[in-house]
Amino acid sequence: DGGITQSPKYLFRKEGQNVTLSCEQNLNHDAMYWYRQDPGQGLRLIYYSQIVNDFQKGDIAEGYSVSREKKESFPLTVTSAQKNPTAFYLCASSIVTDLETQYFGPGTRLLVL
Amino acid sequence: AQTVTQSQPEMSVQEAETVTLSCTYDTSESDYYLFWYKQPPSRQMILVIRQEAYKQQNATENRFSVNFQKAAKSFSLKISDSQLGDAAMYFCAYRHSISSGSARQLTFGSGTQLTVLP
């Protein structure tokens, strides 16, 4: 079945540690996105990529990094510079046309120990 | 920058009744797209309905329909014959058109928590 997978479902980070969230899609979508969701709030864009080996910062990129080495994969690293990483992280993908609609993965819950 | 406002943090509806969720947005663009997403307790974001700003006709998907008022910058979601499975957080979202030359990220409202009462 086609879809977007995110792993792990839950992730625990120790202070000073970098952690990486996985996002994989088999929809043959060119564009991929990372959003952060805090309790009671909407989603905010962290990074997005419209093509392999290229990505752009979103509204809240500080303390995060990404790579896009393969079309199917767009991992997000939460670095130690992100002082408040506890949140729900959602990955999305879409085709790159004017009618594009973003489809979302099941999300990863990141908690700080 | 564009903003999306959902002024109803919580709404409730009786099963089989109709409910309308409100959304307003602010943009200087004339060509854009609007979306309603649903986030059930599983937290998976699910697309409910989409509206292209250049279309005057309101979008409809089964029990879900929108009232798109471009001049008023209003985009409300009507759910008819509400079902228990409709209970979720509903988010309104905005995206520029490619022709605008602006980044095509989604801008989300803060959400409306819908409770369906049996």
Side-chain angles (χ1 to χ4, degrees):
Chain A
D1 286 0
I4 303 171
T5 57
Q6 291 186 242
S7 62
K9 188 172 182 179
Y10 296 96
L11 185 58
F12 298 91
R13 193 191 92 163
K14 295 180 181 178
E15 192 172 337
Q17 185 182 42
N18 292 354
V19 292
T20 298
L21 284 62
S22 169
C23 177
E24 304 275 335
Q25 54 95 4
N26 60 5
L27 300 168
N28 199 32
H29 286 172
D30 289 302
M32 297 186 74
Y33 309 80
W34 274 107
Y35 291 90
R36 169 178 171 144
Q37 186 179 26
D38 292 285
Q41 297 186 31
L43 282 65
R44 292 181 292 167
L45 183 69
I46 304 172
Y47 269 99
Y48 67 99
S49 168
Q50 295 186 44
I51 195 169
V52 174
N53 292 322
D54 185 56
F55 47 83
Q56 307 295 326
K57 292 182 179 180
D59 297 326
I60 55 166
E62 186 174 350
Y64 300 96
S65 66
V66 293
S67 62
R68 187 85 188 277
E69 297 177 1
K70 297 187 300 182
K71 186 176 183 178
E72 302 79 15
S73 178
F74 191 41
L76 173 74
T77 297
V78 184
T79 74
S80 57
Q82 172 51 243
K83 298 306 179 187
N84 184 24
T86 297
F88 188 62
Y89 291 86
L90 285 153
C91 178
S93 72
S94 69
I95 57 174
V96 182
T97 70
D98 210 33
L99 292 175
E100 68 179 61
T101 295
Q102 292 183 24
Y103 295 94
F104 287 81
T108 292
R109 181 93 169 122
L110 176 60
L111 299 166
V112 177
L113 295 176
Chain B
Q2 65 283 350
T3 58
V4 178
T5 302
Q6 293 179 251
S7 58
Q8 305 155 314
E10 298 175 349
M11 292 279 285
S12 63
V13 62
Q14 208 72 35
E15 195 175 4
E17 296 295 309
T18 296
V19 65
T20 298
L21 308 184
S22 301
C23 173
T24 58
Y25 57 94
D26 186 25
T27 183
S28 57
E29 304 290 339
S30 60
D31 200 11
Y32 48 87
Y33 296 84
L34 296 164
F35 305 83
W36 279 98
Y37 282 89
K38 166 185 176 180
Q39 188 178 42
S42 67
R43 305 201 72 177
Q44 171 106 41
M45 293 288 283
I46 302 166
L47 177 69
V48 175
I49 201 165
R50 179 184 73 187
Q51 175 78 43
E52 293 93 321
Y54 61 83
K55 288 187 176 179
Q56 293 186 337
Q57 187 173 10
N58 289 326
T60 300
E61 288 286 344
N62 300 314
R63 297 183 295 106
F64 298 87
S65 61
V66 299
N67 184 4
F68 173 49
Q69 303 283 334
K70 191 172 184 179
K73 297 181 181 176
S74 171
F75 182 60
S76 61
L77 174 70
K78 186 172 82 171
I79 306 174
S80 303
D81 186 24
S82 296
Q83 301 175 0
L84 294 177
D86 294 334
M89 181 73 88
Y90 286 81
F91 291 96
C92 179
Y94 166 101
R95 179 175 64 75
H96 289 309
S97 168
I98 286 181
S99 60
S100 73
S102 303
R104 300 193 328 278
Q105 68 188 67
L106 287 172
T107 299
F108 286 85
S110 56
T112 296
Q113 182 66 52
L114 179 66
T115 301
V116 181
L117 304 170

